[in-house]
């Protein structure tokens, strides 16, 4: 196992640390989950910044876990590294004896270890067997998908997971090629895709095989089903004041994240009631305004960050959430009163501009993009 530390720069590291700090820096032993441990760049920084925090690191890739274990050896007395898919988090926490957590990070997608490995087939730029499993101990490979799926299923995978406009043409080319012989190499597949895409379209949008490879990787690893199950389960495990940060790298991941958070930050009670009914209030507030994008400096230093979208949220104290609604309702009534003849005007005693809960925080923001 080689030294890989220098090859991977954790994406949006400072922003992730800043967002997690209020949750992990609280008094006493706090618990942080790195749901996508990878080469443990984020995890190492969290452990360094928070000497009282216990880390639970998950990865479905045994090779990544081995690298992470070596890198985090000096923190051995406060880490648990687990070979698991992140939707298994509740079972992992039960097994380790933790009822709740204070922080969780999802840094989705593949690691540089996986992308750069000459034998794993994730990269269209180098020839390798068509594997693409993040967990090489189980599951079907990309070779099986490419050589066994019927045309409509292949086309659907490419269209939905790759957002590939030429999904039907690429699927037809794959079926034709497979009649001549089994497709076993990533270079052959990349070439087939290139040939299927009309020449003018090849000149835009990066490498022509990029979307097909993304689609196959998502299908092989059942990535979206795992994420859809994992996000609500992770949110349920956060303590009050606990925080979740998600880094997505394509629109499908970001959409699932946005939906999971939207479900928690809105009130489910009647809009015109001055107080929140028990159990109907928002349980989280957003910490990010829409999806946060990387700055130019970050992308220049780390090209992998180019497509990242960050979303983050914090679990609310249910009583504070109820109080927040009462404050907002009081504010709305004052504004309404101001606009009625004979009542206050801006600057008078009825001026609501300094009222707490006035919507200036990100918890009041719209969903953004
Ligand atoms: C982008 S890398 C994480 C990099 C890491 N933040 C770092 O600083 O080194 C994503 C990692 O998540 C793992 N992964 C992806 N999907 C997973 C899932 N559903 N369950 C567990 N691990 C997963 C991959 O195997 C990969 O190692």
């Amino acid at each position: 196992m080689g030294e890989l530390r220098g090859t991977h720069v954790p994406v949006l590291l400072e922003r992730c640390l800043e967002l997690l700090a209020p949750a992990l820096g609280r008094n006493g032993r706090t618990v942080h989950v790195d749901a996508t441990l990878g080469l443990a760049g984020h995890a190492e920084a969290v452990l360094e910044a928070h000497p009282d925090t216990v880390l639970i690191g998950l990865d479905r890739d045994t090779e990544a876990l081995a690298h992470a274990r070596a890198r985090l050896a000096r923190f051995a007395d406060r880490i648990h590294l687990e070979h698991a898919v992140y939707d298994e988090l509740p079972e992992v926490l039960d097994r380790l004896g933790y009822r709740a957590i204070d922080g969780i990070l999802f840094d989705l997608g593949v690691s540089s270890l996986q992308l750069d490995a000459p034998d794993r087939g994730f990269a269209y730029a180098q020839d390798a067997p068509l594997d693409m499993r993040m967990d090489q101990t189980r599951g079907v490979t990309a070779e099986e998908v490419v050589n066994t799926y019927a045309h409509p299923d292949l086309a659907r995978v490419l269209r939905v997971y790759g957002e590939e406009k030429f999904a039907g043409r690429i699927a037809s080319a794959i079926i034709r090629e497979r009649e001549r012989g089994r497709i076993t190499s990533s270079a052959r597949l990349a070439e087939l895709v290139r040939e299927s895409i009309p020449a003018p379209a090849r000149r835009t949008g990066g490498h022509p095989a990029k979307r097909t490879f993304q689609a196959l990787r998502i299908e092989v690893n059942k990535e979206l089903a795992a994420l859809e199950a994992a996000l609500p389960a992770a949110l349920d495990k956060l303590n009050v004041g606990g925080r979740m940060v998600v880094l997505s790298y394509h629109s499908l991941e970001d959409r699932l994240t946005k939906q999971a958070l939207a479900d928690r930050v809105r009130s489910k009670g009647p809009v015109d009631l001055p107080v929140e009914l028990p159990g109907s209030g928002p349980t989280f507030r957003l910490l990010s305004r829409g999806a946060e994008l990387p700055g130019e400096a970050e992308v220049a230093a780390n090209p992998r960050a180019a497509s990242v979208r960050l979303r983050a949220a914090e679990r609310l104290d249910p009583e504070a959430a109820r109080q927040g609604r009462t404050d907002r309702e009081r504010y709305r009534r004052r504004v309404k009163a101001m606009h009625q003849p004979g009542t206050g005007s801006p600057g008078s005693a009825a001026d609501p501009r300094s009222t707490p809960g006035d919507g200036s925080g990100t918890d009041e923001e719209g969903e953004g993009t």
Side-chain angles (χ1 to χ4, degrees):
M1 191 180 70
E3 171 62 73
L4 282 160
R5 209 174 295 189
T7 66
H8 174 75
V9 185
V11 174
L12 294 176
L13 178 61
E14 290 312 316
R15 183 65 178 134
C16 291
L17 289 175
E18 179 185 46
L19 284 163
L20 291 168
L24 300 181
R26 297 184 283 186
N27 282 342
R29 213 136 243 227
T30 51
V31 180
H32 175 61
V33 173
D34 192 317
T36 51
L37 188 63
L39 298 178
H42 288 101
E44 182 181 52
V46 164
L47 287 162
E48 275 168 358
H50 300 285
D52 292 324
T53 295
V54 170
L55 171 90
I56 300 169
L58 312 183
D59 207 296
R60 66 197 302 181
D61 183 336
T62 50
E63 218 181 312
L65 279 170
H67 282 284
R69 199 173 296 286
R71 183 173 191 168
L72 302 179
R74 68 186 192 282
F75 305 107
D77 60 341
R78 54 189 177 101
I79 61 175
H80 305 274
L81 306 189
E82 299 284 317
H83 182 216
V85 182
Y86 46 54
D87 61 3
E88 295 165 335
L89 176 67
E91 295 82 37
V92 171
L93 293 178
D94 279 353
R95 198 167 60 238
L96 297 175
Y98 292 97
R99 289 184 48 209
I101 60 177
D102 300 287
I104 182 161
L105 173 71
F106 288 85
D107 177 16
L108 300 171
V110 272
S111 69
S112 44
L113 168 74
Q114 292 160 334
L115 267 180
D116 299 342
D119 58 338
R120 300 198 53 180
F122 285 103
Y124 42 79
Q126 55 189 359
D127 195 15
L130 273 174
D131 189 327
M132 295 199 198
R133 287 170 304 163
M134 290 184 187
D135 181 351
Q136 290 189 293
T137 67
R138 56 186 157 170
V140 298
T141 63
E143 183 180 325
E144 286 170 78
V145 171
V146 164
N147 287 287
T148 62
Y149 276 29
H151 184 283
D153 296 329
L154 260 183
R156 175 188 48 80
V157 165
L158 303 187
R159 193 176 45 252
V160 178
Y161 298 159
E163 299 177 288
E164 174 56 74
K165 272 196 292 198
F166 302 103
R169 293 170 73 133
I170 297 170
S172 301
I174 289 175
I175 304 275
R176 272 196 308 276
E177 176 72 7
R178 166 173 128 179
E179 281 159 9
R180 284 200 283 271
R182 200 168 166 85
I183 305 166
T184 56
S185 89
S186 55
R188 182 68 198 115
L189 179 64
E191 185 53 24
L192 267 179
V193 175
R194 208 187 66 79
E195 289 165 5
S196 317
I197 294 180
R202 273 183 228 153
R203 287 193 273 277
T204 55
H207 192 290
K210 186 174 153 190
R211 290 178 296 278
T212 294
F213 274 61
Q214 171 186 300
L216 290 172
R217 193 200 84 208
I218 292 175
E219 173 69 7
V220 163
N221 296 290
K222 305 285 178 236
E223 288 180 32
L224 298 179
L227 185 61
E228 196 170 9
L231 291 172
L235 290 167
D236 286 345
K237 287 292 176 188
L238 281 168
N239 281 318
V240 167
R243 290 179 165 211
M244 176 162 96
V245 179
V246 183
L247 306 180
S248 307
Y249 296 88
H250 58 76
S251 56
L252 302 168
E253 290 170 348
D254 186 49
R255 203 175 305 150
L256 286 180
T257 307
K258 180 177 165 180
Q259 282 163 358
L261 295 180
D263 193 44
R264 308 291 174 119
V265 299
R266 71 168 78 96
S267 164
K268 297 184 177 66
V271 282
D272 47 355
L273 270 192
V275 288
E276 216 52 91
L277 296 175
S280 71
T283 48
F284 280 79
R285 71 180 180 108
L286 295 177
L287 301 168
S288 49
R289 198 173 280 231
E292 283 183 20
L293 310 181
E296 277 174 28
E298 169 95 19
V299 177
N302 188 5
R304 206 181 95 75
S307 56
V308 73
R309 301 281 176 274
L310 178 150
R311 293 183 191 265
E314 178 187 81
R315 182 182 275 284
L316 290 171
D317 175 349
E319 202 32 59
R322 276 162 67 91
Q323 187 56 41
R325 179 154 177 168
T326 312
D327 289 343
R328 286 196 296 278
E329 182 57 29
R330 235 180 259 140
Y331 167 78
R332 269 193 284 272
R333 284 207 204 126
R334 278 204 236 166
V335 172
K336 205 169 160 193
M338 259 173 52
H339 293 292
Q340 279 165 7
T343 58
S345 58
S348 75
D351 186 351
R353 281 175 292 187
S354 61
T355 306
D358 63 359
S360 60
T362 46
D363 56 327
E364 292 291 302
E365 295 299 334
E367 285 294 290
T369 52

